[in-house]
Amino acid sequence: MATRTHSVEDYLEAIYFLAFPVGEYGPVVKAGPAPAARVAEMLSVTAPTASEMMKRLEAEGYIERTGRRPLLTEKGRHEAERVVRNHRIIERFLTDFMGYSPAESHEHADAMGDAFTDEMVERLAERLGHPDRCPHGWPVDPSHEQTENQELRALAAVPAGGRATIVRLAEHDGDLLHWFYDRGLVPGTEILVEDVAPAAGELRVRYGDTAMAISEKAAGGLFVRLAP
Amino acid sequence: MATRTHSVEDYLEAIYFLAFPVGEYGPVVKAGPAPAARVAEMLSVTAPTASEMMKRLEAEGYIERTGRRPLLTEKGRHEAERVVRNHRIIERFLTDFMGYSPAESHEHADAMGDAFTDEMVERLAERLGHPDRCPHGWPVDPSHEQTENQELRALAAVPAGGRATIVRLAEHDGDLLHWFYDRGLVPGTEILVEDVAPAAGELRVRYGDTAMAISEKAAGGLFVRLAP
DNA sequence: CATCCAATTTAGCCTAGGCTAACATCGCCT
DNA sequence: AGGCGATGTTAGCCTAGGCTAAATTGGATG
């Protein structure tokens, strides 16, 4: 199933993404760069392959390395934000025009990114009415993302009795994304944390007509805004 | 300007295309396979590169070679027709949804072909209302193309005094395509051949409010249906 | 038949992106 | 201080798709 081959852009996207970890990956919960090993893991390449690319990214001025953590330079961050933005608009194209489910859009969007130039993505955005969120709730403009982060937390960090609204779904794991959508855990859903069982590593939640237990791992991928 | 890198599919498309030459390239005027050198030329690769790929195409059962002309096998023809069909639907997507001009759509369509799976192209066709022609007048379904060929001829082969309607524009040369569109020589245009000057290698034509001379080369890329 | 140009092929090399195996470090913990 | 697992790097090799330079082959023509 040849998991295709990755360009500089894919690595930058991964590094950008990993700069704001949550649980194992992703934004909000705690912050700071992740080692190259996480990048390798995320892109399903081996350590030497990632190592080689890191060397190149540094040589070309996209990252700096103090210790073992890759730090995006201005250039690298701009490039990464461009790629992320394109990715999110393409996801909206896949859902809004092509009729794919959000989870499916995620699977196709990376490959499409290589085919669309920036100019084409701008046209897409125009035709789609300038959407401001990707199907999973992330802001199309990554700079808004960081502002918004302050108001959000992972569901895993909501105390018992807390009420919250799902704003974004972690995208790093396609299977987890499917799992969310299969259960109606989508942006906009209001959810109540009935009980927290850290020993069991799970939370009991209620939303709509459903009551269920969610593992801490899964709850780490649901980013919510607490009800006032 | 790194003219990107070509896959098996691109070579098959070129071979398919060259199987019905007109003037230097393209369908209708005379028929029969073209040597690999033409394929190389069309894809802007060197002869050894094309030669190498021919070897591979033969080994994988896409072509047979008697003499120096590559002959598409059943497998090869099916594959080529699939690629051509996808290409034409993608061109319609680029004009109808993305808002590109026909000439621009041609420039982008090849790169896009790699990003869209067959399933995605089917969806595209559906969303676009199942178009039956590409923007340059070619049938989306290549099998219709060959039937229709019998009713068409190149403008270069229309005798003085002949009236005809432009049905298709040759796509092999992006610059020529631009030239046609810049002058309003588009599918549907009715055109009168006033005079033929073989010595000068040109025809005098009239269409709409325009009267002009067209080189035989350009006229070889305009495929027309003669008025009864 | 000889010649000559076009077409093709061989040989050798290159780049991007991967891989495995083996070695080198880091840093945390007892 | 020593251990040891997680990280990172080196070395060597691979595939796809290109390239140039230098043979070869084929066919049309004088």
Side-chain angles (χ1 to χ4, degrees):
Chain A
M1 275 301 138
T3 328
R4 89 183 180 76
T5 169
H6 304 283
S7 64
V8 166
E9 298 184 357
D10 298 310
Y11 284 87
L12 288 176
E13 189 178 7
I15 293 169
Y16 178 85
F17 191 68
L18 291 166
F20 310 90
V22 50
E24 271 193 285
Y25 302 100
V28 175
V29 163
K30 32 181 188 169
R38 294 290 76 72
V39 175
E41 197 177 320
M42 214 179 145
L43 297 179
S44 302
V45 298
T46 58
T49 300
S51 171
E52 204 60 38
M53 185 58 87
M54 290 299 153
K55 202 190 303 176
R56 181 173 155 199
L57 293 180
E58 189 169 28
E60 295 181 9
Y62 291 112
I63 62 171
E64 283 164 5
R65 282 184 293 178
T66 45
R68 25 182 75 191
R69 274 126 208 288
L71 228 290
L72 287 171
T73 59
E74 267 296 293
K75 177 182 173 183
R77 194 174 52 74
H78 278 313
E79 181 67 1
E81 285 180 353
R82 186 185 65 75
V83 174
V84 168
R85 181 181 136 83
N86 285 1
H87 180 100
R88 289 178 181 166
I89 290 170
I90 288 169
E91 279 186 339
R92 279 299 290 265
F93 161 68
L94 290 170
T95 54
D96 296 13
F97 182 75
M98 296 287 279
Y100 284 106
S101 71
E104 288 170 330
S105 80
H106 176 75
E107 291 166 16
H108 290 307
D110 265 314
M112 310 285 297
D114 298 334
F116 286 93
T117 63
D118 289 357
E119 192 270 335
M120 294 171 93
V121 171
E122 270 342 287
R123 277 179 190 250
L124 270 187
E126 209 177 299
R127 297 295 180 289
L128 297 170
H130 295 287
D132 66 341
R133 302 244 164 206
C134 85
H136 318 301
W138 297 80
V140 158
D141 184 338
S143 66
H144 293 176
E145 185 178 319
Q146 324 224 5
T147 317
E148 194 180 66
N149 282 349
Q150 259 116 63
E151 309 162 21
L152 303 183
R153 64 182 66 189
L155 183 66
V158 174
R163 281 187 182 281
T165 305
I166 297 176
V167 174
R168 312 173 186 159
L169 311 181
E171 315 177 89
H172 61 81
D173 179 339
D175 293 337
L176 183 57
L177 208 45
H178 263 110
W179 191 89
F180 289 145
Y181 284 112
D182 286 350
R183 284 161 185 73
L185 292 164
V186 302
T189 304
E190 296 193 20
I191 195 164
L192 165 67
V193 178
E194 296 193 311
D195 192 21
V196 181
E202 66 177 36
L203 298 77
R204 294 207 52 82
V205 300
R206 179 178 296 275
Y207 60 100
D209 295 333
T210 311
M212 66 179 290
I214 288 187
S215 73
E216 267 180 22
K217 181 184 170 222
L222 291 168
F223 303 111
V224 303
R225 176 176 284 118
L226 276 181
Chain B
M1 277 299 141
T3 328
R4 89 184 180 77
T5 170
H6 303 283
S7 64
V8 166
E9 298 184 357
D10 298 309
Y11 285 88
L12 288 175
E13 189 178 8
I15 293 169
Y16 177 85
F17 190 67
L18 290 166
F20 311 90
V22 50
E24 272 193 283
Y25 301 101
V28 175
V29 163
K30 31 181 190 171
R38 293 290 76 70
V39 175
E41 197 177 319
M42 215 178 146
L43 297 178
S44 303
V45 298
T46 59
T49 300
S51 170
E52 205 59 37
M53 186 57 87
M54 291 299 153
K55 203 190 300 174
R56 181 173 155 198
L57 293 180
E58 189 169 27
E60 295 180 9
Y62 291 111
I63 63 172
E64 284 165 4
R65 283 183 292 178
T66 46
R68 24 182 75 192
R69 273 125 209 290
L71 227 290
L72 288 170
T73 60
E74 268 296 292
K75 177 181 174 184
R77 194 174 52 74
H78 279 313
E79 182 67 1
E81 285 180 352
R82 185 185 65 75
V83 174
V84 168
R85 182 181 136 82
N86 285 0
H87 180 101
R88 290 178 181 167
I89 290 170
I90 289 169
E91 280 187 338
R92 281 298 291 266
F93 161 68
L94 291 170
T95 54
D96 297 13
F97 182 74
M98 295 288 278
Y100 285 106
S101 71
E104 288 170 329
S105 81
H106 176 76
E107 291 166 17
H108 291 307
D110 264 314
M112 310 284 298
D114 298 335
F116 287 93
T117 64
D118 289 358
E119 193 269 337
M120 294 172 93
V121 171
E122 270 341 288
R123 277 178 190 250
L124 270 187
E126 209 175 299
R127 298 296 180 288
L128 298 170
H130 295 287
D132 65 342
R133 303 243 162 206
C134 84
H136 320 301
W138 296 80
V140 158
D141 184 338
S143 65
H144 294 177
E145 184 178 318
Q146 323 225 3
T147 317
E148 193 181 66
N149 283 349
Q150 260 115 65
E151 309 161 22
L152 303 183
R153 65 182 65 190
L155 183 66
V158 173
R163 282 186 181 282
T165 304
I166 297 177
V167 175
R168 313 173 186 160
L169 311 181
E171 315 178 88
H172 59 81
D173 179 340
D175 293 336
L176 183 58
L177 209 45
H178 263 110
W179 192 89
F180 288 146
Y181 284 112
D182 286 348
R183 284 160 186 72
L185 293 164
V186 302
T189 304
E190 296 193 21
I191 195 165
L192 166 67
V193 177
E194 295 193 312
D195 192 21
V196 181
E202 65 176 37
L203 299 77
R204 294 205 52 80
V205 300
R206 180 178 296 275
Y207 61 100
D209 296 333
T210 311
M212 66 180 290
I214 288 186
S215 74
E216 268 180 21
K217 181 185 172 221
L222 292 168
F223 303 111
V224 303
R225 177 176 283 118
L226 275 180

